[in-house]
Amino acid sequence: MTMPRTRLIILALIAGIVVLATLVLTHNRAASEASALVLDVNTRSLGNWDPEPVLSHAHDSLLADAGPDFFHTYFRALQRLGNLQEIRDITFELTLSPPWTLYRAGSAHYTMNASFSAGQAEIRMTLIRENGRWMISEYLVLTPALAS
């Protein structure tokens, strides 16, 4: 093999490695951003019984089904649970657009359990990723305390 051909092959390999590494890092960053958003929103919303963190990250589809007034009423009802003590058992499914789009779109479904001073709850969230930004399309706090 000639020297120019060897250099070309080495450059192609390096370019391939750089592209692959960029895709892996971008995928991991998208997953980390979704998880960070979920923890931040739940900690602030459920820790202070304030719907604003949910509303500030709400996708249009969430607000179309239930407007801001609903969430203010919902969080007032959730206050019966008392103080947030712990969020645990977080599970999620992540689906991202193809790598050549740099994962600009996708969805994530989270389920977690939370302990409060007056009870337990299961939290379910669905996120939608549009143009590289995660937004909440579903937010549910399921607890027997609200059923009574």
Side-chain angles (χ1 to χ4, degrees), residues 38 46 50 55 64 82 96 103 118 128:
V38 166
L46 300 175
D50 179 11
L55 296 172
L96 291 172
Y103 309 113
I128 294 175

Side-chain angles (χ1 to χ4, degrees), residues 18-58:
V18 167
V19 168
L20 184 60
T22 300
L23 291 175
V24 168
L25 289 173
T26 303
H27 181 278
N28 290 344
R29 187 176 317 121
S32 294
E33 288 170 354
S35 293
L37 175 64
V38 166
L39 284 175
D40 180 59
V41 164
N42 281 304
T43 301
R44 292 188 309 136
S45 290
L46 300 175
N48 300 317
W49 299 114
D50 179 11
E52 290 306 319
V54 173
L55 296 172
S56 67
H57 295 288

